[in-house]
Amino acid sequence: MISNTEERRDIRFKYHSPVPNSYRIPNPSKPLRNISDEVFEEFKKMAFEIGVAGLSYSKLSDDFKAEWNIDFDNVIILKYEMSPDFLYLEPSKEKCKLIDDEFQEVGGFIYDIADFLRENGFEANLLNPLDDEVSLRAIATQSNDCVILRSNMCLFKEGLNMGFFMLSTSIDNLPFKEENDMLWAAKYCETCGKCINKCPLNAYDENEKVLRKVCTAHSEGCNDCILNCPFFKKGYDFLEKKFKKKLVG
Ligand code: SF4
Ligand code: SF4
């Protein structure tokens, strides 16, 4: 569970609304571009102490920025584990509210991390987690640190039940990954199909696109896609070993 020493921010992210301006520190007028090892370690320590489960970094190409009409280059992805207690609840409006409350609460703490970076001379802005114009998943794939599965979910090594927030930043020397070593997972996913076959509402069309009008993930918090997925049930490391052993054997 994410926790924090600072006073809690009373914020609420909403669809079609700008990100709340809940920063306590303004962006520097001349943002720095290189973070020292020392400050970077402090940043990571703070993130993990707050409860962040993992960090990834996306460097956005000019083509990508032009495609999505955005003007920032570097993104920090802050992942948090969605509470397992909620995952096993039956879909309902109440469950949906619990998941949303957790998401909103975590979002409040991400401002502390943005303020830490600002205080140290870097630009840091929270990307709207509910933006329907820029795909955060598309930005996530630029990290080379995740794959999109057939359930349309973003798989990070930390697990399938990850929510995430993103900060755009002036920091150019983040540890960006050059290659994606998770592509095997997409291949495994192609051979599986459990989430599609077990969806209680048949919410996938013939092209395996999730039918938004049928799927109750957002309205009632259905997460059977996660619960039925081997990446959730057995874990990333176990499946990777099994998959690669099969290729060799
Ligand atoms: S259940 Fe199977 S097909 Fe569905 S996302 Fe997981 S690995 Fe892919
Ligand atoms: S979240 Fe639930 S309803 Fe939506 S596609 Fe997955 S299993 Fe089906």
Side-chain angles (χ1 to χ4, degrees):
M1 184 64 192
I2 295 240
S3 65
N4 178 26
T5 52
E6 296 273 346
E7 194 188 319
R8 192 178 158 189
R9 287 172 170 84
D10 191 15
I11 53 111
R12 203 91 202 150
F13 299 104
K14 293 185 188 142
Y15 284 100
H16 315 302
S17 298
V19 173
N21 186 358
S22 281
Y23 306 99
R24 296 191 173 115
I25 295 171
N27 267 317
S29 52
K30 288 187 182 160
L32 302 176
R33 299 204 154 270
N34 279 291
I35 192 166
S36 67
D37 291 347
E38 194 188 345
V39 178
F40 186 56
E41 286 307 315
E42 252 186 88
F43 153 75
K44 286 196 293 185
K45 188 166 175 271
M46 180 184 187
F48 291 125
E49 276 176 5
I50 280 177
V52 166
L55 294 159
S56 298
Y57 311 92
S58 290
K59 167 68 88 182
L60 306 182
S61 67
D62 289 343
D63 286 349
F64 185 90
K65 289 189 291 177
E67 184 186 346
W68 291 98
N69 195 23
I70 50 182
D71 61 0
F72 44 86
D73 300 307
N74 312 308
V75 176
I76 300 172
I77 305 169
L78 305 111
K79 294 162 261 186
Y80 72 94
E81 186 183 7
M82 291 160 65
S83 174
D85 293 347
F86 302 157
L87 287 179
Y88 292 101
L89 295 176
E90 287 297 317
S92 68
K93 299 279 180 229
E94 292 71 37
K95 174 181 179 180
C96 212
K97 184 169 179 320
L98 287 170
I99 293 172
D100 186 56
D101 284 349
E102 179 181 61
F103 161 78
Q104 302 283 355
E105 188 182 6
V106 174
F109 297 138
I110 304 299
Y111 282 92
D112 291 339
I113 299 175
D115 280 342
F116 170 85
L117 294 175
R118 288 177 171 204
E119 203 172 17
N120 280 282
F122 305 102
E123 187 174 309
N125 297 305
L126 202 75
L127 300 190
N128 187 348
L130 299 176
D131 200 337
D132 40 14
E133 288 179 10
V134 180
S135 162
L136 295 195
R137 263 180 314 178
I139 293 177
T141 59
Q142 302 303 298
S143 69
N144 284 323
D145 211 15
C146 66
V147 287
I148 304 296
L149 300 180
R150 285 160 80 187
S151 59
N152 219 17
M153 299 213 51
C154 196
L155 172 71
F156 291 97
K157 284 182 186 167
E158 290 86 357
L160 196 54
N161 54 330
M162 290 290 131
F164 57 81
F165 286 85
M166 294 187 178
L167 292 173
S168 67
T169 178
S170 56
I171 307 171
D172 276 330
N173 65 330
L174 293 166
F176 302 108
K177 275 176 77 178
E178 294 288 324
E179 282 181 27
N180 192 333
D181 57 349
M182 294 179 66
L183 298 178
W184 71 269
K187 287 198 181 115
Y188 172 93
C189 181
E190 278 168 27
T191 66
C192 170
K194 285 196 172 72
C195 55
I196 298 162
N197 297 333
K198 293 190 174 183
C199 171
L201 300 175
N202 289 323
Y204 289 88
D205 71 11
E206 61 280 7
N207 298 315
E208 297 184 359
K209 288 262 174 296
V210 176
L211 299 163
R212 284 185 171 219
K213 284 191 177 160
V214 182
C215 172
T216 55
H218 292 296
S219 59
E220 300 202 358
C222 178
N223 47 239
D224 284 13
C225 281
I226 297 178
L227 298 180
N228 288 321
C229 183
F231 282 106
F232 178 75
K233 285 164 114 170
K234 298 187 175 163
Y236 181 90
D237 293 338
F238 176 85
L239 285 185
E240 183 179 29
K241 267 189 211 135
K242 202 174 143 199
F243 184 81
K244 292 189 172 166
K245 203 170 159 191
K246 248 189 192 172
L247 287 185
V248 175

